[in-house]
C-alpha cells in the first residue's frame, strides 16, 4: 500500500467516529484513493455511484477536506471521480435530486441521508411482506395519489427502513422535480429543540412544509414529547391538505402507540397500515441467495447447504440473517478459504452449539430405528402408520437439530421427501415437546444415545 493510500485510510479512520454508522458505511467506506496532483492541489478520489458523488459534494465535502488537510498536512481540493468512468476527471458533478434545502441546524444536514443500496429491486418479497412492499411501491410510483399516508410497522430488522429508503430512491430517480426528505424521529425532535433554542421555528416549519414526500422513521419515539407531536400534527395537516405524500414507520400499529396524541394516531391510520412479519424459511433462503448472488458466488451444494444452515438457525431478524452471511463471506475472503459447512460451523459459533459437531444423519437414523424397534428402511420409507411415521418425524427433528443438513438434504436422506415434509415434522415434534411428556421422554433419551 502506497503512502497516499495509507494516509487516505487514516482519513477515513479518523472520520468514522464523527458520523453515524449508516452514514459512514453508505458514503465514506466505499471511497478509494486514486491519485494526487501536487501542483494543482487536487486529491482525486474514486466513488462508486454518481448519486454518492452528488451527496458527498453537497453534504460532506467540508468533513472530508478538513480531515484530509489534517492527515496530509496540506490543504487539498478533493475531486470525486466515478469509478470505472473513462473521462471521469472531465465530468461535471451531477446535479443532486435529493432535497438540500437549508436547515435550521447545519448538523442535521449531515445526517439527512438516503441509502442508494436499498431499492425495490433488491428487496426480497415473501408472504411476510408482500402487502407492505406493494403499498410502498405504489407510493413511490405515484406519490400522494392513492396511498396517503402510508404507515409501515414491524419489529426491528425486518425491512421497513429498507422500504422507506427504496421509496426515497425511486421518487428521486423518477420525479427529479420533487423534494424528498427522510428523517428519523430523533432527528426531527432534535431539530425542533434546536429551532426553539435559536428562535428559528419559522425556518423549521418552512423547511418541512415545502416537501413533496416526507418520510419519518420510528414514530414510536414521539411518545411523551408533546411539543414535537404538536409540530408533527401541524406539519402533517399542511402537507396532507396540499396533496403531499407522507410515510411513517414504527415498531407497532397506530392503535398501540401510547402517550401519543390521539389526533396523530388517528391520522397515521387514515389510509394504509401495513405490517411486516418475520420471514419464513423460504423467504430467508431467498434473502440469503440474493446476498450470495450480489457477491457473485456460484450457488453450489456447499453454498446452498451453508445458506440453509444459516436460514434454519437465524429466524427472527433479516438484519441478523444478512449479517451472519456477510460476516462469513468476509472471513472467507480475508482468509482465502472456501465457504463450506465446516468453515461456517467454525466461524459462526454464535449460531451453532458444540454438541452438534460429530453427529450425522446415518447415526440418527440408526439410533432411532433401534430405539423404536423398526428398520432404517422403515424410517426412510413412506409407510404412514403411527408406529413408523412418528419415529420418522422424531428422526427428522433430531437431524435438523444436530446436523448441518438443509431441509432439502434432510428430505433426500429420508427417502427423497420434500423439504416441506421435513419442516412439518420438525414443527410438529417441536409443538409436542411443549405438551406431550411421552414425546419429550423419547427425544431426551434419543438425544442422550446419539451424543454417546
Amino acid at each position: 500500500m502506497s503512502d497516499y493510500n495509507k494516509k487516505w485510510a487514516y482519513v477515513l479512520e479518523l472520520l468514522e467516529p464523527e458520523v453515524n454508522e449508516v452514514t459512514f458505511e453508505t458514503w465514506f467506506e466505499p471511497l478509494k484513493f486514486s491519485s494526487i496532483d501536487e501542483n494543482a492541489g487536487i486529491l482525486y478520489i474514486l466513488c462508486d455511484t454518481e448519486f454518492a458523488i452528488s451527496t458527498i459534494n453537497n453534504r460532506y465535502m467540508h468533513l472530508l477536506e478538513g480531515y484530509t488537510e489534517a492527515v496530509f498536512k496540506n490543504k487539498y481540493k478533493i475531486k470525486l471521480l466515478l469509478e470505472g468512468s473513462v473521462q471521469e476527471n472531465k465530468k461535471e458533478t451531477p446535479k443532486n435530486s435529493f432535497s438540500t434545502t437549508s436547515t435550521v441546524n447545519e448538523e442535521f444536514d449531515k445526517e439527512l441521508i438516503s441509502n442508494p443500496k436499498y431499492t425495490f429491486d433488491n428487496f426480497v418479497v415473501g408472504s411476510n411482506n408482500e402487502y407492505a412492499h406493494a403499498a410502498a411501491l405504489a407510493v413511490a410510483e405515484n406519490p400522494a395519489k392513492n396511498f396517503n399516508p402510508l404507515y409501515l410497522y414491524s419489529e426491528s430488522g425486518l425491512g421497513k427502513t429498507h422500504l422507506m429508503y427504496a421509496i426515497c430512491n425511486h421518487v428521486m430517480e423518477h420525479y427529479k422535480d420533487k423534494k424528498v426528505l427522510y428523517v428519523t424521529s430523533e432527528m426531527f425532535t432534535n431539530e425542533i429543540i434546536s429551532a426553539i433554542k435559536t428562535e428559528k421555528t419559522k425556518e423549521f416549519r418552512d423547511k418541512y412544509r415545502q416537501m413533496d414526500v416526507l418520510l419519518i422513521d420510528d414514530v414510536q419515539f414521539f411518545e411523551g414529547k408533546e411539543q414535537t407531536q404538536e409540530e408533527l400534527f401541524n406539519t402533517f395537516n399542511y402537507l396532507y391538505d396540499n396533496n403531499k405524500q407522507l410515510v411513517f414507520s414504527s415498531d407497532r400499529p397506530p392503535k398501540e402507540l401510547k402517550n401519543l396524541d390521539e389526533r396523530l394516531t388517528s391520522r397515521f391510520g387514515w389510509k394504509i397500515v401495513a405490517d411486516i412479519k418475520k420471514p419464513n424459511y423460504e423467504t430467508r433462503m431467498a434473502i440469503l441467495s440474493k446476498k450470495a448472488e450480489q457477491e457473485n458466488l456460484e450457488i453450489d451444494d456447499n453454498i446452498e447447504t451453508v445458506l440453509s444452515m444459516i436460514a434454519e438457525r437465524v429466524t427472527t431478524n433479516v438484519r441478523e440473517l444478512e449479517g451472519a452471511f456477510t460476516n462469513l463471506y468476509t472471513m472467507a475472503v480475508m482468509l482465502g478459504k472456501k465457504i463450506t459447512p465446516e468453515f461456517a460451523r467454525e466461524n459462526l459459533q454464535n449460531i451453532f452449539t458444540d454438541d452438534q459437531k460429530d453427529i450425522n444423519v446415518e447415526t440418527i437414523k440408526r439410533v432411532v430405528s433401534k430405539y423404536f424397534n423398526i428398520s432404517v428402511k422403515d424410517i426412510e420409507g413412506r409407510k404412514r402408520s403411527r408406529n413408523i411415521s412418528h419415529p420418522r418425524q422424531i428422526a427428522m427433528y433430531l437431524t435438523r437439530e444436530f446436523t448441518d443438513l438443509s431441509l432439502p438434504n434432510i428430505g433426500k436422506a429420508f427417502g427423497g421427501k420434500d423439504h416441506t415434509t421435513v419442516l412439518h415434522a420438525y414443527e410438529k415434534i417441536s409443538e409436542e415437546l411443549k405438551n406431550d411428556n411421552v414425546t419429550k421422554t423419547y427425544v431426551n433419551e434419543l438425544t442422550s444415545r446419539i451424543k454417546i
Side-chain angles (χ1 to χ4, degrees):
M1 182 183 286
S2 71
D3 287 343
Y4 288 127
N5 278 302
K6 289 179 181 177
K7 286 181 177 181
W8 181 250
Y10 189 44
V11 169
L12 297 183
E13 184 181 335
L14 290 176
L15 193 149
E16 184 173 4
E18 300 303 313
V19 295
N20 66 42
E21 183 179 356
V22 174
T23 300
F24 182 79
E25 290 180 357
T26 304
W27 307 118
F28 298 113
E29 197 169 51
L31 299 179
K32 300 174 186 175
F33 175 82
S34 174
S35 60
I36 190 168
D37 186 336
E38 294 283 7
N39 294 327
I42 299 175
L43 201 64
Y44 292 98
I45 301 298
L46 297 180
C47 203
D48 55 356
T49 67
E50 290 187 348
F51 182 67
I53 289 174
S54 174
T55 302
I56 293 168
N57 277 329
N58 281 312
R59 299 200 191 108
Y60 303 112
M61 188 54 73
H62 64 290
L63 277 175
L64 269 183
E65 291 183 343
Y67 280 99
T68 299
E69 182 179 353
V71 172
F72 282 73
K73 309 299 182 187
N74 206 345
K75 194 166 186 176
Y76 289 101
K77 179 176 176 56
I78 292 179
K79 176 71 174 177
L80 298 176
L81 310 176
L82 182 61
E83 192 169 4
S85 177
V86 178
Q87 295 179 322
E88 46 239 330
N89 61 332
K90 295 181 181 178
K91 286 188 176 181
E92 291 294 322
T93 302
K95 198 170 184 179
N96 189 12
S97 60
F98 192 82
S99 170
T100 55
T101 54
S102 60
T103 60
V104 174
N105 185 337
E106 185 183 346
E107 183 65 26
F108 295 98
D109 253 350
K110 301 173 189 176
E111 306 305 328
L112 297 179
I113 59 171
S114 179
N115 193 327
K117 295 179 182 178
Y118 294 125
T119 66
F120 288 110
D121 288 339
N122 60 27
F123 185 86
V124 176
V125 182
S127 58
N128 63 308
N129 59 24
E130 57 187 347
Y131 179 58
H133 171 268
L137 183 57
V139 164
E141 291 181 338
N142 293 289
K145 294 297 182 185
N146 299 314
F147 301 107
N148 192 28
L150 171 63
Y151 185 99
L152 305 169
Y153 74 94
S154 74
E155 295 178 16
S156 177
L158 294 181
K160 57 184 182 292
T161 301
H162 184 139
L163 286 177
M164 295 186 82
Y165 281 142
I167 292 171
C168 282
N169 292 324
H170 190 93
V171 173
M172 289 189 290
E173 181 181 353
H174 294 90
Y175 297 91
K176 298 189 183 296
D177 60 325
K178 289 191 181 296
K179 295 176 181 176
V180 184
L181 184 60
Y182 163 91
V183 291
T184 65
S185 58
E186 182 181 8
M187 289 157 60
F188 187 87
T189 301
N190 289 340
E191 198 167 351
I192 289 173
I193 294 170
S194 176
I196 294 170
K197 285 180 179 179
T198 57
E199 299 182 350
K200 292 185 177 179
T201 52
K202 182 182 184 302
E203 289 91 332
F204 168 84
R205 290 167 185 158
D206 289 346
K207 167 195 164 183
Y208 279 90
R209 294 178 190 185
Q210 63 178 295
M211 294 303 154
D212 296 296
V213 181
L214 176 62
L215 306 96
I216 302 182
D217 212 351
D218 288 327
V219 296
Q220 70 272 11
F221 291 112
F222 289 136
E223 292 176 316
K225 299 178 176 68
E226 293 181 5
Q227 188 156 0
T228 303
Q229 292 178 35
E230 185 65 27
E231 289 293 346
L232 178 59
F233 175 76
N234 292 328
T235 298
F236 183 111
N237 287 344
Y238 183 90
L239 292 177
Y240 186 85
D241 290 344
N242 284 276
N243 199 35
K244 308 299 183 182
Q245 179 70 50
L246 292 146
V247 182
F248 304 99
S249 82
S250 177
D251 63 356
R252 281 163 278 160
K255 64 182 179 180
E256 292 183 14
L257 294 172
K258 308 300 181 185
N259 300 317
L260 202 65
D261 192 323
E262 189 177 340
R263 298 175 302 169
L264 270 177
T265 57
S266 172
R267 279 162 172 74
F268 288 157
W270 267 357
K271 195 67 178 181
I272 298 295
V273 176
D275 69 325
I276 302 175
K277 299 180 178 68
K278 295 175 183 177
N280 58 22
Y281 170 79
E282 288 79 8
T283 303
R284 297 197 299 274
M285 277 296 288
I287 291 168
L288 291 172
S289 296
K290 183 169 281 289
K291 290 289 290 182
E293 289 170 6
Q294 288 171 353
E295 301 298 346
N296 296 316
L297 286 176
E298 181 183 349
I299 310 295
D300 58 17
D301 288 342
N302 269 330
I303 298 296
E304 184 178 2
T305 297
V306 168
L307 297 186
S308 183
M309 289 163 60
I310 297 172
E312 288 171 9
R313 288 165 173 81
V314 184
T315 61
T316 60
N317 188 302
V318 173
R319 193 176 296 131
E320 291 178 7
L321 184 73
E322 293 180 331
F325 170 80
T326 300
N327 288 341
L328 187 68
Y329 174 76
T330 302
M331 284 187 280
V333 171
M334 291 176 63
L335 298 173
K337 301 283 188 179
K338 284 187 66 177
I339 297 177
T340 63
E342 293 74 25
F343 183 78
R345 182 180 294 286
E346 290 172 6
N347 292 281
L348 290 178
Q349 295 178 4
N350 59 314
I351 66 172
F352 297 103
T353 55
D354 291 338
D355 60 7
Q356 292 172 298
K357 285 186 178 176
D358 300 313
I359 299 172
N360 59 58
V361 64
E362 299 306 321
T363 299
I364 292 170
K365 288 191 290 186
R366 188 177 65 252
V367 171
V368 172
S369 62
K370 185 176 180 180
Y371 181 85
F372 287 102
N373 196 29
I374 58 178
S375 70
V376 172
K377 286 186 178 179
D378 286 332
I379 290 279
E380 296 171 344
R382 298 190 177 276
K383 291 182 181 178
R384 296 188 177 183
S385 55
R386 180 167 172 80
N387 69 312
I388 292 176
S389 64
H390 196 240
R392 181 187 298 133
Q393 289 172 333
I394 290 175
M396 289 179 177
Y397 170 87
L398 292 169
T399 301
R400 190 180 179 201
E401 284 290 297
F402 295 118
T403 75
D404 296 338
L405 293 179
S406 64
L407 294 178
N409 284 336
I410 293 174
K412 290 177 185 177
F414 283 81
K417 298 187 175 51
D418 189 82
H419 79 274
T420 56
T421 302
V422 180
L423 187 59
H424 170 73
Y426 182 84
E427 291 175 344
K428 182 175 184 294
I429 299 303
S430 296
E431 193 61 31
E432 287 182 10
L433 287 173
K434 298 175 184 177
N435 307 304
D436 189 329
N437 288 330
V438 174
T439 299
K440 193 179 297 183
T441 299
Y442 288 160
V443 171
N444 287 341
E445 289 183 3
L446 284 165
T447 297
S448 298
R449 296 186 184 196
I450 289 167
K451 288 183 178 180
I452 293 174

